[in-house]
Amino acid sequence: MNLSRILHDRLGAKIKELVDQNGELTLTLSPDDVQEAVRTLRDAVDLGFEQLIDLCGVDYLHYGVGEWATESASTEGFGRGVQPSTSAHFTFHDAPRPSAHQGPRFAVVYHLLSISHNWRLRVKVFCADDEFPRVPSVTDVWAVANWFEREAFDLFGILFDGHPDLRRLLTDYGFVGHPFRKDFPLIGHVEMRYDSEQQRVIYEPVSIEPRVLVPKVIRRDNRYAGEGTQDA
């Protein structure tokens, strides 16, 4: 039986969007429907998504806005390069660019596997609040979600209501901010080092200067161009 049809029969109005792209189904749910929907996905005999393969956060702040556009490679050889997609030079001190994504900024993505039916499903839930993003925890449905949700909280600042022990997992407990957010500075907020006088690790303001790495343009090689003078 067709998975898309089963999902419509089982979840009905809970489905906000169901997209079939490149043979992969992506199901979008509302945060209010997550708990009931994922239990149905796990327990319904004709669905049987007994395994949560992965759970991650997504920040759509600059989604669809690229700083660099890549040229097409030519048959002449090494002609592939990159050019700025806008004439304005972007630095860390500039105001944030407007996002091409319309809608909530943060989302939680679940990757599910049904062993009995050999089906895979991607479930996406957008957080209603951009300032304090939150969704219900699914740890009582799939116990493996425990550390996945802690990772998403640590890196993106997404809160999971009902999680039994929601705390940082990869960064220090005193870490400032969430490093996978698009507006988190690449140089961070603080740096740490061992102080021999105090004989302990200390935190200090970042001392390095922020900079933008400009991709290197690869020039054409005349060995493959046939005729012409090699670019300087």
Side-chain angles (χ1 to χ4, degrees):
M1 192 172 181
N2 184 271
L3 175 58
S4 179
R5 183 178 304 174
I6 298 175
L7 290 172
H8 278 289
D9 292 342
R10 286 290 186 177
L11 300 179
K14 293 184 176 64
I15 299 177
K16 296 190 66 176
E17 186 179 38
L18 185 60
V19 178
D20 186 349
Q21 186 174 19
N22 300 324
E24 296 182 354
L25 279 177
T26 300
L27 169 66
T28 302
L29 300 170
S30 167
D32 297 334
D33 297 325
V34 169
Q35 279 281 336
E36 185 178 352
V38 296
R39 288 185 184 278
T40 300
L41 292 173
R42 184 194 65 178
D43 298 337
V45 177
D46 48 358
L47 289 172
F49 287 99
E50 58 270 85
Q51 285 197 10
L52 172 65
I53 300 299
D54 191 20
L55 181 156
C56 64
V58 181
D59 183 358
Y60 284 91
L61 180 63
H62 294 154
Y63 181 79
V65 179
E67 183 177 355
W68 297 90
T70 306
E71 295 177 346
S72 300
S74 69
T75 57
E76 298 177 351
F78 301 100
R80 191 174 181 86
V82 290
Q83 297 293 337
S85 59
T86 175
S87 58
H89 294 287
F90 178 75
T91 68
F92 290 97
H93 304 289
D94 291 336
R97 295 181 179 185
S99 173
H101 172 73
Q102 302 297 323
R105 172 179 172 180
F106 295 100
V108 179
V109 178
Y110 312 78
H111 292 274
L112 310 181
L113 172 65
S114 172
I115 298 177
S116 55
H117 299 288
N118 192 26
W119 283 334
R120 294 180 184 270
L121 179 66
R122 180 187 297 109
V123 178
K124 185 182 296 184
V125 179
F126 284 95
C127 305
D129 191 343
D130 288 350
E131 186 174 1
F132 299 104
R134 62 195 317 129
V135 297
S137 173
V138 296
T139 52
D140 55 344
V141 181
W142 297 288
V144 72
N146 191 315
W147 278 23
F148 287 149
E149 291 181 349
R150 284 182 60 186
E151 180 184 39
F153 162 70
D154 190 359
L155 301 180
F156 292 92
I158 299 173
L159 302 172
F160 292 87
D161 295 330
H163 191 285
D165 186 23
L166 192 61
R167 54 194 170 96
R168 291 188 181 272
L169 179 68
L170 300 176
T171 62
D172 198 6
Y173 291 136
F175 191 87
V176 178
H178 303 281
F180 274 21
R181 289 191 174 190
K182 299 298 185 183
D183 52 3
F184 187 86
L186 294 179
I187 61 173
H189 296 291
V190 296
E191 62 186 24
M192 65 179 186
R193 65 177 177 85
Y194 179 77
D195 188 288
S196 57
E197 294 182 359
Q198 302 183 44
Q199 296 186 353
R200 65 182 181 89
V201 174
I202 62 173
Y203 289 87
E204 297 176 328
V206 177
S207 60
I208 62 176
E209 290 292 330
R211 62 194 180 101
V212 176
L213 295 178
V214 179
K216 180 180 179 181
V217 175
I218 304 175
R219 301 185 182 277
R220 291 187 176 88
D221 191 324
N222 287 333
R223 291 176 297 175
Y224 303 93
E227 297 180 0
T229 303
Q230 184 172 357
D231 293 338

